[in-house]
Amino acid sequence: MAEGLRERKKQRTRQALIQAAMRLFEEKGFEETTLAEIAAAADVSTRTFFSYFASKEDVLFYDAGARLEGALARLSARRPSDTVADLLLQLIDDSIGQAIAGAGTFDAAAVRARLVLTVPSLQARALHVLLDSQLTLAKALHEAFRDRLTLSEAGATVGALIGAIMVAVMTDVDEDRSVEEIMATVRRAGEIALAGLRALG
């Protein structure tokens, strides 16, 4: 029981750091916000901050690893009846659910999107994360559908899907759309991209 309490406390502290950072990034700007300010806003020490995150960038991309792991788990659990398009649409729905659940009382996903569009250093980090994730997903998709997709076809499929979603979301963020509108755009962009992929079966 004590172990469970400690784990819940760690999760609360981590979430408090994420929420504090996102609020400060939105209010002050990413570059202007210090690690000490984030820690103080979450009512913890700077040392405690480093127990959870290595940098401000890590806070901003706090869910990248978990989202990728979730996608890989979904692909590895593919059923024989699943088509490429249907399984990828499930990944999109999973991602939307994770984004909504992870946002808490403050919209972390929208803040991140706005910052990535305006802060050059974050654009570089986002591109690195995105490229690594796409390659990993392409390999996993190929493994899940070895009988239907070559590795290059899997790569093209993942690239087309993520590219469509990213550009569509950027237009929403540029027009200051609401979280709900952005999530709807993610789903719609995915559907449009997958309409051209259903020929793959």
Side-chain angles (χ1 to χ4, degrees):
M1 180 174 285
E3 183 65 30
L5 288 172
R6 280 195 294 271
E7 185 58 33
R8 286 195 293 275
K9 183 178 179 180
K10 286 174 63 177
Q11 288 301 320
R12 285 195 298 270
T13 300
R14 184 175 187 273
Q15 189 64 27
L17 284 166
I18 293 168
Q19 295 293 320
M22 294 299 178
R23 286 193 182 93
L24 287 168
F25 293 160
E26 181 81 338
E27 293 167 6
K28 297 186 61 177
F30 180 80
E31 301 289 358
E32 293 75 16
T33 299
T34 67
L35 295 179
E37 287 172 333
I38 295 171
D43 200 26
V44 299
S45 67
T46 304
R47 182 177 178 179
T48 297
F49 174 94
F50 285 112
S51 296
Y52 292 86
F53 300 102
S55 66
K56 291 190 295 182
E57 287 83 358
D58 283 346
V59 182
L60 195 66
F61 296 97
Y62 68 94
D63 59 346
R67 288 161 70 102
L68 180 58
E69 287 176 11
L72 295 176
R74 171 71 77 176
L75 289 172
S76 67
R78 175 234 166 173
R79 299 166 299 185
S81 60
D82 287 332
T83 66
V84 174
D86 288 343
L87 191 54
L88 289 175
L89 193 58
Q90 290 173 29
L91 291 185
I92 293 170
D93 288 339
D94 290 346
S95 182
I96 292 172
Q98 288 172 339
I100 292 172
T105 58
F106 194 73
D107 181 29
V111 171
R112 176 168 55 201
R114 283 192 289 272
L115 289 172
V116 166
L117 285 177
T118 57
V119 181
S121 64
L122 294 179
Q123 292 172 1
R125 176 65 180 269
L127 183 60
H128 177 74
V129 169
L130 191 61
L131 289 176
D132 277 357
S133 297
Q134 286 185 89
L135 183 57
T136 300
L137 285 173
K139 291 177 178 177
L141 183 64
H142 171 58
E143 286 298 321
F145 291 95
R146 274 188 169 273
D147 57 330
R148 305 185 201 180
L149 294 174
T150 66
L151 183 55
S152 60
E153 288 172 339
T157 299
V158 170
L161 179 63
I162 293 179
I165 290 172
M166 290 301 296
V167 175
V169 167
M170 284 191 294
T171 62
D172 268 13
V173 171
D174 192 51
E175 294 183 358
D176 203 26
R177 302 283 189 187
S178 69
V179 181
E180 292 75 16
E181 288 173 317
I182 291 173
M183 292 301 106
T185 291
V186 169
R187 187 63 154 68
R188 181 58 181 150
E191 290 172 343
I192 291 171
L194 291 174
L197 299 172
R198 291 191 181 276
L200 293 172

